[in-house]
Amino acid sequence: MSSIPTPPGSVRHDWSLDEVRGLFALPFADLLFMAQQAHRMHFDPNRVQVSTLLSIKTGACPEDCAYCPQSIRYDTGLEREELMAVEDVVGRAHKAREAGATRFCMGAAWRSPKDRDLRVVTEMVRRVRELGLETCATLGMLTPAQAATLKEAGLDYYNHNIDTSEGHYGEIITTRSFQDRLDTLEAVRNAGINVCCGGILGMGEQEADRAAMLHTLATLPEHPGSVPINQLVKVPGTPLEDSAPLEPLEFVRCIAVARILMPRAHVRLSAGRTEMSDEMQALCFLAGANSIFYGEKLLTTGNPDVERDLALFGRLGIAAEDPPVHASA
Ligand code: SAM
Ligand code: DTB
Ligand code: SF4
């Protein structure tokens, strides 16, 4: 079968781009078999981690990310909302925990946080952590000092996506560079916060771009702890609203390649599940996805309702992963 000598499940940081392209070129069954081997070496394949998202500050973002309904540059009809009150965020985290989430991710439509906003967010992190939930935040670019402040507050994960390949990046975002993203990831890593970093598929990129994006992630000094793979949610009013749909099996291939390249990461089947059949999601779990966003909303767009996800888990014999011990208050 494969011409790739590395035993599946090996943790490597020296993948070549040719090797990554070689994985994409494998027959589908061989690729999924290899992904399954890697997955089963490091994880219980019948457990999936569940994270719930909350938009703590919505809309009016100065950046020009072409996929994003929250950019002030595109008329998507979204109502802007100021930074939420700490008590309201804690109430939503409590509900997420009751519904079965183990990680709570707070997202803000900022280019980067102002220090006065960060003071409020650190209070949110402390209070959400007291509920026994893992905490995650996605607030835009961070300086090393801001990352250290979040670490001090007990933040477990910071989400900051590279979004696409370095080559395709300029087609999608012009207001900050690919290197800016890598710099923030470095600040987060150096502060000792777990990195959550992935991208979006279906933004007009080629397979070579998808390979290059995963290659960048897999050759970071440390693999991200979580790798969200999003399918573009085409929001009317954004420049990408009419993007050609991605071939579903190509999405599954990306999940499998991410699993093989970063075998110890939680690979998250992220945005776009509303448009996916249960069978497509089952294929993604077979390919090594072991995390989802759970709850009716992502940040501003829809997500499958809890009943549908619980029914799917039941049909597939999947159980939600327990929260790690260190997340307890
Ligand atoms: N403003 C911060 C930033 O961009 O770093 C944090 C929030 S931002 C909404 C977080 C991530 O959501 C983006 O990096 C992008 O990968 C993802 N995202 C945003 N809009 C999306 C869409 N329409 N479809 C899929 N993913 C999307
Ligand atoms: C990630 O990779 N996907 C999430 C989370 N990280 C922050 C966001 C998806 C957003 C989809 C569009 C929306 O709901 O606004
Ligand atoms: Fe702003 Fe983040 Fe949306 Fe880009 S992805 S426009 S930075 S909220």
Side-chain angles (χ1 to χ4, degrees):
M1 54 171 258
S2 152
S3 58
I4 294 165
T6 307
S10 310
V11 179
R12 290 178 47 195
H13 296 82
D14 63 349
W15 294 98
S16 71
L17 189 52
D18 275 351
E19 282 178 298
V20 180
R21 287 183 178 185
L23 290 171
F24 273 95
L26 284 173
F28 192 71
D30 290 349
L31 177 64
L32 257 67
F33 180 61
M34 200 184 280
Q36 272 279 309
Q37 287 177 302
H39 193 181
R40 284 166 185 267
M41 196 168 293
H42 299 283
F43 290 102
D44 176 343
N46 304 309
R47 291 243 173 191
V48 167
Q49 191 279 330
V50 289
S51 297
T52 291
L53 276 169
L54 176 67
S55 181
I56 58 170
K57 184 269 167 185
T58 306
C61 182
E63 301 294 277
D64 70 352
C65 312
Y67 48 76
C68 188
Q70 304 203 64
S71 168
I72 198 160
R73 297 160 195 246
Y74 317 130
D75 183 7
T76 61
L78 188 71
E79 295 257 339
R80 69 178 289 176
E81 289 166 34
E82 297 305 325
L83 183 59
M84 286 176 71
V86 174
E87 286 311 323
D88 294 341
V89 172
V90 174
R92 297 288 289 271
H94 194 268
K95 283 200 182 117
R97 190 190 69 180
E98 297 303 295
T102 60
R103 190 180 304 170
F104 192 68
C105 180
M106 295 161 271
W110 290 321
R111 172 177 164 81
S112 54
K114 296 191 179 69
D115 285 344
R116 81 176 127 83
D117 292 326
L118 204 62
R119 281 194 284 279
V120 180
V121 174
T122 53
E123 185 56 20
M124 292 173 183
V125 169
R126 280 195 193 92
R127 295 283 306 281
V128 171
R129 211 165 190 270
E130 279 170 12
L131 297 175
L133 285 160
E134 282 188 300
T135 52
C136 178
T138 180
L139 316 169
M141 293 187 286
L142 293 185
T143 63
Q146 290 177 320
T149 301
L150 286 165
K151 173 69 184 174
E152 164 77 20
L155 186 71
D156 296 298
Y157 283 82
Y158 194 78
N159 167 249
H160 197 66
N161 291 337
I162 56 171
D163 281 345
T164 189
S165 69
E166 186 167 13
H168 191 60
Y169 186 89
E171 304 290 315
I172 306 296
I173 300 136
T174 69
T175 49
R176 64 175 125 153
S177 67
F178 198 75
Q179 186 59 47
D180 288 334
R181 304 243 174 192
L182 298 178
D183 291 348
T184 291
L185 293 173
E186 186 179 9
V188 171
R189 200 168 51 238
N190 289 346
I193 300 171
N194 293 302
V195 167
C196 170
C197 183
I200 308 176
L201 310 181
M203 299 197 294
E205 77 284 347
Q206 304 297 308
E207 186 178 86
D209 293 302
R210 295 188 276 277
M213 178 182 89
L214 294 179
H215 177 254
T216 297
L217 295 173
T219 54
L220 289 170
E222 285 171 33
H223 292 166
S226 291
V227 178
I229 306 292
N230 297 275
Q231 176 171 279
L232 175 68
V233 179
K234 294 179 209 169
V235 180
T238 61
L240 295 180
E241 68 172 306
D242 294 321
S243 288
L246 183 69
E247 208 271 298
L249 295 184
E250 182 64 18
F251 187 92
V252 179
R253 270 184 192 278
C254 278
I255 297 266
V257 173
R259 166 54 61 222
I260 293 164
L261 297 178
M262 295 167 280
R264 284 199 297 229
H266 276 93
V267 176
R268 185 174 304 123
L269 171 55
S270 302
R273 288 197 304 117
T274 310
E275 287 77 43
M276 293 177 194
S277 66
D278 284 2
E279 292 75 15
M280 163 80 175
Q281 293 184 60
L283 265 182
C284 290
F285 293 131
L286 268 179
N290 64 346
S291 172
I292 58 164
F293 285 124
Y294 176 72
E296 276 73 14
K297 216 168 170 195
L298 292 166
L299 289 173
T300 67
T301 65
N303 199 39
D305 58 34
V306 160
E307 289 72 26
R308 178 178 165 197
D309 280 342
L310 293 178
L312 178 61
F313 276 19
R315 287 167 69 204
L316 299 177
I318 287 176
E321 219 175 65
D322 295 328
V325 182
H326 78 266
S328 316

